[in-house]
Amino acid sequence: MRLWEFNRLGVVGSTPFDVNKDGQMLVSAILGYLWMSEEELGFDSTILDDGGRYTQIQRDGRIERLGLEELMKRQRSVAGRATTCWRGSLEDEPDGGLVIKDSWEFEERPEEGLLLKEATEAGVKNVARYYHHETVHTRGEMDDVRHNVRKGLSDAGGRNPFQQRRPTHPDAVTSPATSSGSRPGRGRSRSTSRTITRKRSSSCVRTSMPPPKRSCSDSPVKQDARRRRNRVHRRLIMRDIGKGIYEASSLRAVLTGLLRGIKGHESLLDAKILHRDISIRNIMLKMGEDDGFLIDLDLAIRLDRQKVSGALSKTGTKVFMAIGALYGDEDHNFMHDLESFF
């Protein structure tokens, strides 16, 4: 038996033990799970319930209470950003709609809240407006995976049990044409014609090619970097509420959303910010469908940055990424974002 802990970086497992030989360990494990608090089980202790769900933020030196009225979006995943958005409002301003966005971001990434704050202060148009952002703290400590969730538990000595191992002798794979020709009872002419007319399978093609280069994910340097990575729980609050462009009720509304999204992208560029993640889910329409705006600066960068973010892979929503950005032959620029709009 093994015990597993799932978190936003992945999964960590214990060393196996035999329940028949170590009954005390089995009982201890069961009691440990039964006695866990909701926070230890993974529930967010900053989301409270007092006849209605709410959270508290500290802004301009005072505590503000935000009611969480409706769940707008939840990314259903264990490992990853696990972005969750609520529609909410201030306790003393029930008619002032806000969007509360929680996500687990890599700590080396630029904070989305800081970028959005800069954009709002620069007067950027057609981009969701900033209200507040913070790094979530629990029990007086920053809520992150390495120290707060895993409590310093190291995964440096482990391996990924779900990773498929490559065959050690790829040349030992037999092609379908060869195996069919060696079966007893087959005539030579029949097997020869089948070999000629039958297309080679993908396995046959792979065996005839030289061994592939080692992929980026197998690089020891990048494997070590992944093990050192950390995700931090961050909260961003925005003023504008809308709906996705894919929910538009007419072609006119779709074109309005696209046009305003392009205007917002241009306005961000004027503020020296490149979005880098234009997709159908990041172009929003106002509820009246008479205006639109961009959201999600998770992957945005400052154009005048001094160093790269340290990401281990390409950034963006792949199905909407420009060809040049996907191939990696070019640095991501504003033209790639414009291509993503279309």
Side-chain angles (χ1 to χ4, degrees):
M1 179 176 176
R2 299 182 71 178
L3 306 179
W4 298 92
E5 181 195 73
F6 294 85
N7 51 61
R8 300 307 180 193
L9 281 178
V11 59
V12 178
S14 70
T15 55
F17 65 92
D18 191 334
V19 297
N20 296 310
K21 296 179 179 179
D22 196 348
Q24 183 177 354
M25 179 65 74
L26 174 63
V27 173
S28 298
I30 294 174
L31 291 178
Y33 282 116
L34 290 174
W35 289 341
M36 282 184 182
S37 65
E38 287 192 347
E39 183 179 350
E40 290 170 333
L41 287 171
F43 289 92
D44 188 348
S45 61
T46 65
I47 304 297
L48 308 172
D49 197 329
D50 183 16
R53 304 183 77 187
Y54 71 95
T55 189
Q56 292 179 327
I57 61 172
Q58 185 168 358
R59 182 173 179 267
D60 297 333
R62 66 188 186 94
I63 301 295
E64 296 183 1
R65 176 165 165 163
L66 294 172
L68 306 180
E69 300 167 358
E70 178 188 354
L71 179 65
M72 301 176 67
K73 171 189 175 183
R74 171 168 288 161
Q75 184 181 11
R76 298 189 179 277
S77 65
V78 176
R81 285 185 291 177
T83 302
T84 304
C85 295
W86 294 274
R87 182 200 303 268
S89 62
L90 292 170
E91 187 177 35
D92 52 353
E93 297 180 18
D95 296 331
L98 296 171
V99 175
I100 299 95
K101 175 183 177 181
D102 271 27
S103 60
W104 291 77
E105 303 173 5
F106 284 123
E107 62 180 352
E108 68 267 18
R109 290 273 189 195
E111 288 191 48
E112 180 186 9
L114 287 176
L115 290 174
L116 189 59
K117 182 180 181 181
E118 290 179 14
T120 302
E121 291 175 349
V124 167
K125 305 296 184 183
N126 297 109
V127 176
R129 293 172 297 163
Y130 170 88
Y131 182 78
H132 176 74
H133 81 282
E134 63 182 24
T135 297
V136 177
H137 285 69
T138 58
R139 301 186 306 277
E141 297 182 357
M142 181 176 68
D143 194 14
D144 69 335
V145 174
R146 289 286 178 193
H147 305 97
N148 193 47
V149 177
R150 291 186 177 177
K151 308 295 183 185
L153 181 66
S154 174
D155 59 354
R159 69 174 182 86
N160 184 356
F162 304 108
Q163 186 176 13
Q164 294 182 352
R165 297 182 178 179
R166 295 178 179 175
T168 54
H169 301 289
D171 294 337
V173 179
T174 305
S175 67
T178 304
S179 60
S180 63
S182 61
R183 291 177 185 173
R186 302 282 186 182
R188 180 176 179 180
S189 60
R190 184 175 181 180
S191 64
T192 303
S193 62
R194 177 172 295 187
T195 303
I196 294 173
T197 58
R198 186 174 181 176
K199 292 183 178 180
R200 289 184 298 173
S201 68
S202 58
S203 61
C204 181
V205 173
R206 282 195 297 268
T207 56
S208 64
M209 296 178 66
K213 294 182 180 180
R214 185 171 58 191
S215 65
C216 295
S217 60
D218 291 334
S219 166
V221 175
K222 291 197 173 184
Q223 290 286 359
D224 291 341
R226 283 191 176 89
R227 286 172 175 162
R228 291 194 300 269
R229 300 191 90 176
N230 190 20
R231 285 190 182 271
V232 179
H233 186 187
R234 290 172 177 157
R235 182 165 292 154
L236 172 63
I237 302 167
M238 298 165 283
R239 291 184 180 274
D240 295 296
I241 296 178
K243 60 182 180 180
I245 193 174
Y246 52 88
E247 298 179 275
S249 61
S250 66
L251 178 59
R252 181 186 181 92
V254 172
L255 294 176
T256 298
L258 286 173
L259 177 60
R260 299 307 181 189
I262 294 173
K263 291 286 187 182
H265 185 266
E266 181 183 17
S267 189
L268 280 173
L269 279 178
D270 292 339
K272 305 298 182 184
I273 297 174
L274 182 62
H275 191 283
R276 298 204 309 169
D277 191 19
I278 301 298
S279 71
I280 195 171
R281 293 187 177 275
N282 291 338
I283 306 172
M284 306 293 290
L285 278 170
K286 292 288 184 70
M287 301 308 293
E289 297 190 348
D290 57 345
D291 201 0
F293 57 95
L294 287 180
I295 62 170
D296 199 354
L297 300 186
D298 275 344
L299 304 181
I301 58 170
R302 297 178 180 87
L303 291 176
D304 57 355
R305 64 177 180 172
Q306 300 299 317
K307 60 180 181 179
V308 297
S309 64
L312 300 180
S313 59
K314 296 182 181 68
T315 54
T317 305
K318 286 189 176 180
V319 294
F320 295 100
M321 288 176 67
I323 296 297
L326 276 174
Y327 283 164
D329 299 331
E330 309 165 5
D331 291 335
H332 198 125
N333 58 56
F334 75 97
M335 290 298 294
H336 294 134
D337 279 0
L338 289 178
E339 184 176 332
S340 297
F341 275 102
F342 302 100

